[in-house]
Amino acid sequence: MESVVEVVVPPRTHYVNATYGVKSWLLTTDHKRIALLYLASVTFFFFLGGLFAVLIRLELLTPQGDLVQAETYNRLFTMHGVVMVFFFLIPAIPAVLGNFLVPLMIGAKDLAFPKLNLLSWYIYIAGASFTVLAIVLGGVDTGWTFYTPYSSTYSNGNVILSGIGIFITGFSSILTGLNFIVTIHTMRAPGLTWFRLPLFIWSHYATSLIMILGTPVIAVTVLLLALERLVHIGIFDPALGGDPVLFQHLFWFYSHPAVYIMVLPAMGVISELIANMARKNIFGYKFVAMASIAIAVFGFLVWGHHLFVSTQSVYAGMVFSVLSYAVGIPSAVKVFNWTATLYKGSISYDTPMLYAFGFIGFFIIGGMTGLFLAALGIDIHVHDTYFVVAHFHYIMVGGTIMAYMGGLHYWWPKITGRMYPEAWARFAALVIFVGFNLTFFPQFLLGYMGMPRRYYAYSSEFQVLNVMSSAGASILGMGYLIPMIYLIWSMRYGRHAPPNPWGAFGLEWTTASPPPTQNFEKTPVVTWEAYEFRPREEMDVVSVRDVLDQTLRPGGVRDDGG
């Protein structure tokens, strides 16, 4: 039997080659090009943060502090946390995949405020520049949480420069969130009702709400910290009449919802991968959509579980404990519905799906251990130990990065117009999965055994597990380098991608790969439900004029009598 090879003719002109020159990129208002600017930026900061992680794991190979001094170690884990959280994990999916896909998925030509979108990237770069300057000048040693009064009074690190960097970058998040909300409200294609939206859009809508409502709080908190450090106004330092626990309340009021800024977009990616790779309507679509909003709302009510060992009252702790358990309900709804969607699905085990499986596994482990930390008694036992480190890495790093990598591979043909090498991609996904578990699972045991976090030297009884963790980090690092190499290679040598290489649903797959600058040749009209897997000929995108021609009688009267 002869095989049929599909010959793909790439579009002659698309958003990448529409204009040339550095100026055309630095002054672009095309959301797709801005997404690529973010892609380059967050990739740089991912590897910068990874470099600090390498040094941390090298130091922890032996119980003695024989590679760096304690003060240097403090700066290493602080800069690792600051770079990874504020300059990679928070912007990665919304700024890269969200920027590229939100207009395409709703049938719009661009975001509502294209110039504001470009400004967001410049603000991000400005904030990142201050932080890089702080690193070059010696770094900061407060931990990424900047707890007072150490950060406001006693630290010798570059607290102000780092704070300015985070303060400025916050405005980038706010503007991005505002742009997404206005775009989703006002620029949806005809026929694309709220409950026909892809779940990726629902997740980004919920994330945008957190960005707008939560980010100003961390900005004000950093500003107050700077005032106390520079002008000695007593806000957080007890010696000046302040209250250090107030800082913790303000910091976690933003920083716990910030976890959902990282995870909610990841959940949106996974919903797309599960439905389209299993070829099934998403089970309980409306429940999954509403779960995104519920997570965003509950996310603002649980910050107090970070303060169980502070002077916060026991009664407040009990309330926050119950609320923390409650936030697990909408998260569980998503996992149950993804699993039900997979049941009897026609699953394609391509690379994006492998990352989706990895996300579900990591998210379940991270989520279940989060319930341990929501229990007051257990939290006191494992507070500030490696158990906490392992938990948030499974959620924030394992979950978010697995979804980010899955989404990047899934939409890579749309972004570049080229396919990546599937065999190498599957191998890299396996290496990352193994490396991640070998790195962070031993840390659950270390934490339960009592090894505190942020120590550069430790008891010799913890060495075996630390060596396992460092070996896993080496494998994980290699796993991240492999996609970096073959994705760059594929941009020139990969085979051309058709408009819809996965046979997937979504308006983004109805336009060329890569898309034209205006996204669609004709404004699409949506006449189907989300993830409606029925024959393609019944779901063709047609123009507004086509719809009007079909529904209007010669005398201008609609068939339905309207």
Side-chain angles (χ1 to χ4, degrees):
M1 182 178 178
E2 295 183 2
S3 61
V4 178
V5 178
E6 184 183 4
V7 178
V8 178
V9 180
R12 182 181 297 274
T13 304
H14 45 76
Y15 80 98
V16 178
N17 65 7
T19 53
Y20 289 96
V22 175
K23 185 179 176 182
S24 73
W25 281 89
L26 295 181
L27 297 180
T28 184
T29 55
D30 185 339
H31 66 99
K32 300 180 289 298
R33 284 191 166 203
I34 294 171
L36 294 190
L37 293 175
Y38 271 115
L39 175 62
S41 308
V42 301
T43 302
F44 168 78
F45 284 104
F46 174 72
F47 282 99
L48 179 62
L51 176 63
F52 293 129
V54 168
L55 295 174
I56 291 169
R57 290 315 317 174
L58 284 176
E59 169 56 46
L60 294 176
L61 266 175
T62 58
Q64 301 79 23
D66 43 13
L67 180 65
V68 296
Q69 298 298 312
E71 186 180 351
T72 306
Y73 185 78
N74 290 344
R75 292 170 191 256
L76 287 177
F77 70 69
T78 300
M79 293 183 292
H80 167 71
V82 167
V83 169
M84 281 298 198
V85 170
F86 294 106
F87 298 100
F88 173 72
L89 289 171
I90 288 179
I93 296 181
V96 178
L97 297 179
N99 245 320
F100 193 93
L101 292 166
V102 166
L104 282 166
M105 282 186 167
I106 65 171
K109 292 181 179 179
D110 207 320
L111 288 171
F113 308 112
K115 292 181 180 177
L116 209 60
N117 194 23
L118 180 62
L119 178 63
S120 298
W121 180 71
Y122 275 106
I123 291 174
Y124 169 85
I125 293 298
S129 299
F130 275 98
T131 305
V132 169
L133 181 61
I135 293 171
V136 171
L137 295 178
V140 61
D141 61 351
T142 59
W144 77 277
T145 51
F146 290 93
Y147 270 14
T148 56
Y150 181 68
S151 61
S152 62
T153 305
Y154 304 106
S155 170
N156 293 320
N158 295 293
V159 177
I160 295 299
L161 271 179
S162 304
I164 291 173
I166 294 168
F167 180 82
I168 292 174
T169 307
F171 288 96
S172 174
S173 286
I174 294 171
L175 295 181
T176 299
L178 176 68
N179 225 338
F180 284 172
I181 288 176
V182 175
T183 303
I184 295 169
H185 269 276
T186 63
M187 298 178 68
R188 300 192 310 275
L192 188 58
T193 61
W194 280 94
F195 286 117
R196 285 179 172 175
L197 285 173
L199 290 168
F200 182 90
I201 299 296
W202 274 105
S203 293
H204 276 72
Y205 185 81
T207 305
S208 300
L209 294 175
I210 301 175
M211 286 175 169
I212 288 182
L213 297 175
T215 309
V217 177
I218 190 67
V220 169
T221 307
V222 171
L223 187 63
L224 292 175
L225 188 155
L227 284 174
E228 181 166 286
R229 188 172 175 89
L230 293 175
V231 195
H232 305 296
I233 297 175
I235 302 169
F236 305 122
D237 187 351
L240 299 173
D243 182 358
V245 179
L246 172 63
F247 177 88
Q248 295 184 35
H249 278 289
L250 292 172
F251 179 84
W252 288 113
F253 183 81
Y254 164 77
S255 293
H256 192 83
V259 172
Y260 301 113
I261 293 178
M262 306 170 206
V263 173
L264 270 172
M267 290 174 161
V269 171
I270 298 304
S271 294
E272 297 299 315
L273 299 185
I274 294 285
N276 288 301
M277 288 288 174
R279 301 285 187 272
K280 275 188 68 182
N281 296 3
I282 202 84
F283 182 82
Y285 165 87
K286 290 185 179 179
F287 283 96
V288 179
M290 289 299 104
S292 296
I293 304 299
I295 290 172
V297 173
F298 274 108
F300 280 108
L301 305 176
V302 298
W303 79 90
H305 73 224
H306 295 275
L307 283 72
F308 284 164
V309 297
S310 73
T311 56
Q312 177 182 259
S313 80
V314 174
Y315 298 107
M318 292 169 64
V319 171
F320 281 119
S321 176
V322 172
L323 289 171
S324 299
Y325 276 103
V327 78
I329 296 172
S331 301
V333 165
K334 284 179 176 283
V335 174
F336 287 142
N337 287 29
W338 291 330
T339 309
T341 305
L342 290 172
Y343 179 64
K344 290 188 176 180
S346 178
I347 301 172
S348 301
Y349 293 94
D350 293 308
T351 304
M353 195 62 190
L354 300 184
Y355 282 111
F357 284 135
F359 172 91
I360 293 175
F362 290 165
F363 185 74
I364 289 175
I365 294 174
M368 294 299 289
T369 51
L371 295 180
F372 292 4
L373 295 171
L376 279 81
I378 299 177
D379 181 79
I380 290 171
H381 175 65
V382 297
H383 188 84
D384 263 346
T385 70
Y386 265 86
F387 190 93
V388 179
V389 176
H391 157 70
F392 72 69
H393 276 86
Y394 263 89
I395 289 286
M396 292 161 56
V397 182
T400 303
I401 293 184
M402 292 301 271
Y404 179 64
M405 295 297 288
L408 203 57
H409 283 81
Y410 181 63
W411 283 293
W412 190 253
K414 184 59 59 181
I415 294 171
T416 65
R418 300 276 185 166
M419 300 300 292
Y420 56 82
E422 183 63 31
W424 276 106
R426 291 182 183 182
F427 175 69
L430 178 65
V431 172
I432 290 172
F433 184 81
V434 172
F436 185 89
N437 279 301
L438 188 57
T439 304
F440 293 107
F441 200 83
Q443 295 180 10
F444 280 124
L445 305 177
L446 285 169
Y448 184 76
M449 292 164 65
M451 179 171 169
R453 61 195 288 201
R454 297 176 174 172
Y455 278 41
Y456 84 124
Y458 55 85
S459 171
S460 58
E461 65 181 297
F462 301 133
Q463 186 175 12
V464 172
L465 290 170
N466 269 300
V467 169
M468 289 173 63
S469 188
S470 294
S474 304
I475 297 171
L476 185 61
M478 292 302 297
Y480 288 139
L481 279 175
I482 296 170
M484 181 82 177
I485 295 170
Y486 68 67
L487 288 178
I488 292 175
W489 174 89
S490 72
M491 292 169 67
R492 183 172 180 83
Y493 300 105
R495 63 184 172 87
H496 290 290
N500 189 359
W502 311 113
F505 259 94
L507 288 175
E508 76 272 26
W509 301 112
T510 64
T511 189
S513 299
T517 300
Q518 71 277 17
N519 290 345
F520 301 94
E521 298 297 335
K522 295 179 180 179
T523 302
V525 175
V526 178
T527 58
W528 59 87
E529 303 300 321
Y531 316 108
E532 189 176 305
F533 280 89
R534 54 178 176 158
R536 296 293 303 171
E537 58 270 20
E538 297 179 23
M539 297 177 291
D540 285 343
V541 175
V542 293
S543 69
V544 174
R545 181 170 295 281
D546 293 336
V547 171
L548 292 176
D549 289 344
Q550 292 173 9
T551 56
L552 289 178
R553 292 174 179 171
V557 180
R558 283 167 44 177
D559 287 336
D560 59 5

